[in-house]
PDB file of all heavy atoms in Angstrom:
ATOM      1  N   PRO C 603      82.069  93.351  80.891  1.00 64.00           N
ATOM      2  CA  PRO C 603      82.922  94.294  81.379  1.00 64.00           C
ATOM      3  C   PRO C 603      82.417  95.675  81.416  1.00 64.00           C
ATOM      4  O   PRO C 603      82.537  96.511  82.269  1.00 64.00           O
ATOM      5  CB  PRO C 603      84.303  94.269  80.562  1.00 64.00           C
ATOM      6  CG  PRO C 603      84.154  92.890  79.973  1.00 64.00           C
ATOM      7  CD  PRO C 603      82.645  92.455  79.792  1.00 64.00           C
ATOM      8  N   ARG C 604      81.828  96.246  80.339  1.00 67.00           N
ATOM      9  CA  ARG C 604      81.195  97.520  80.141  1.00 67.00           C
ATOM     10  C   ARG C 604      80.125  97.688  81.245  1.00 67.00           C
ATOM     11  O   ARG C 604      79.999  98.761  81.812  1.00 67.00           O
ATOM     12  CB  ARG C 604      80.745  97.719  78.746  1.00 67.00           C
ATOM     13  CG  ARG C 604      80.158  99.139  78.686  1.00 67.00           C
ATOM     14  CD  ARG C 604      80.039  99.704  77.326  1.00 67.00           C
ATOM     15  NE  ARG C 604      80.919 100.307  76.507  1.00 67.00           N
ATOM     16  CZ  ARG C 604      82.028 101.195  76.908  1.00 67.00           C
ATOM     17  NH1 ARG C 604      82.231 101.297  78.027  1.00 67.00           N
ATOM     18  NH2 ARG C 604      82.733 101.639  75.984  1.00 67.00           N
ATOM     19  N   GLU C 605      79.216  96.745  81.293  1.00 70.00           N
ATOM     20  CA  GLU C 605      78.177  96.779  82.314  1.00 70.00           C
ATOM     21  C   GLU C 605      78.785  96.887  83.741  1.00 70.00           C
ATOM     22  O   GLU C 605      78.243  97.786  84.465  1.00 70.00           O
ATOM     23  CB  GLU C 605      77.295  95.551  82.283  1.00 70.00           C
ATOM     24  CG  GLU C 605      76.132  95.470  83.151  1.00 70.00           C
ATOM     25  CD  GLU C 605      75.402  94.164  83.241  1.00 70.00           C
ATOM     26  OE1 GLU C 605      75.248  93.660  82.147  1.00 70.00           O
ATOM     27  OE2 GLU C 605      75.073  93.796  84.260  1.00 70.00           O
ATOM     28  N   ILE C 606      79.777  96.276  84.092  1.00 65.00           N
ATOM     29  CA  ILE C 606      80.419  96.345  85.435  1.00 65.00           C
ATOM     30  C   ILE C 606      80.983  97.695  85.636  1.00 65.00           C
ATOM     31  O   ILE C 606      80.856  98.279  86.626  1.00 65.00           O
ATOM     32  CB  ILE C 606      81.498  95.231  85.558  1.00 65.00           C
ATOM     33  CG1 ILE C 606      80.740  93.748  85.689  1.00 65.00           C
ATOM     34  CG2 ILE C 606      82.281  95.450  86.877  1.00 65.00           C
ATOM     35  CD1 ILE C 606      81.804  92.712  85.549  1.00 65.00           C
ATOM     36  N   LEU C 607      81.792  98.215  84.606  1.00 67.00           N
ATOM     37  CA  LEU C 607      82.369  99.447  84.703  1.00 67.00           C
ATOM     38  C   LEU C 607      81.437 100.664  84.838  1.00 67.00           C
ATOM     39  O   LEU C 607      81.657 101.621  85.607  1.00 67.00           O
ATOM     40  CB  LEU C 607      83.221  99.815  83.439  1.00 67.00           C
ATOM     41  CG  LEU C 607      84.544  98.936  83.418  1.00 67.00           C
ATOM     42  CD1 LEU C 607      85.220  99.195  82.180  1.00 67.00           C
ATOM     43  CD2 LEU C 607      85.526  99.165  84.528  1.00 67.00           C
ATOM     44  N   GLU C 608      80.186 100.499  84.191  1.00 66.00           N
ATOM     45  CA  GLU C 608      79.185 101.511  84.251  1.00 66.00           C
ATOM     46  C   GLU C 608      78.372 101.412  85.536  1.00 66.00           C
ATOM     47  O   GLU C 608      77.947 102.515  86.003  1.00 66.00           O
ATOM     48  CB  GLU C 608      78.245 101.370  83.009  1.00 66.00           C
ATOM     49  CG  GLU C 608      78.901 101.769  81.737  1.00 66.00           C
ATOM     50  CD  GLU C 608      78.153 101.725  80.553  1.00 66.00           C
ATOM     51  OE1 GLU C 608      76.838 101.172  80.692  1.00 66.00           O
ATOM     52  OE2 GLU C 608      78.596 102.019  79.374  1.00 66.00           O
ATOM     53  N   THR C 609      78.193 100.268  86.164  1.00 64.00           N
ATOM     54  CA  THR C 609      77.191 100.157  87.229  1.00 64.00           C
ATOM     55  C   THR C 609      78.051  99.927  88.577  1.00 64.00           C
ATOM     56  O   THR C 609      77.374 100.472  89.617  1.00 64.00           O
ATOM     57  CB  THR C 609      76.286  99.047  86.953  1.00 64.00           C
ATOM     58  OG1 THR C 609      77.086  97.870  86.909  1.00 64.00           O
ATOM     59  CG2 THR C 609      75.418  99.156  85.817  1.00 64.00           C
ATOM     60  N   TYR C 611      81.553 100.204  89.054  1.00 80.00           N
ATOM     61  CA  TYR C 611      82.982 100.852  89.192  1.00 80.00           C
ATOM     62  C   TYR C 611      83.032 102.037  89.875  1.00 80.00           C
ATOM     63  O   TYR C 611      82.146 102.904  89.795  1.00 80.00           O
ATOM     64  CB  TYR C 611      83.594 101.061  87.794  1.00 80.00           C
ATOM     65  CG  TYR C 611      85.080 101.506  87.824  1.00 80.00           C
ATOM     66  CD1 TYR C 611      86.017 100.520  88.205  1.00 80.00           C
ATOM     67  CD2 TYR C 611      85.342 102.833  87.566  1.00 80.00           C
ATOM     68  CE1 TYR C 611      87.306 100.975  88.287  1.00 80.00           C
ATOM     69  CE2 TYR C 611      86.675 103.139  87.567  1.00 80.00           C
ATOM     70  CZ  TYR C 611      87.766 102.249  87.941  1.00 80.00           C
ATOM     71  OH  TYR C 611      89.044 102.721  87.931  1.00 80.00           O
ATOM     72  N   PRO C 748      89.812  97.258  86.555  1.00 90.00           N
ATOM     73  CA  PRO C 748      90.941  98.096  87.024  1.00 90.00           C
ATOM     74  C   PRO C 748      91.220  98.035  88.408  1.00 90.00           C
ATOM     75  O   PRO C 748      90.341  97.823  89.245  1.00 90.00           O
ATOM     76  CB  PRO C 748      90.433  99.505  86.694  1.00 90.00           C
ATOM     77  CG  PRO C 748      89.419  99.329  85.651  1.00 90.00           C
ATOM     78  CD  PRO C 748      88.729  97.984  85.926  1.00 90.00           C
TER      79      PRO C 748
END
Side-chain angles (χ1 to χ4, degrees):
R604 180 163 278 324
E605 179 185 324
I606 292 170
L607 290 174
E608 290 175 359
T609 59
Y611 186 73

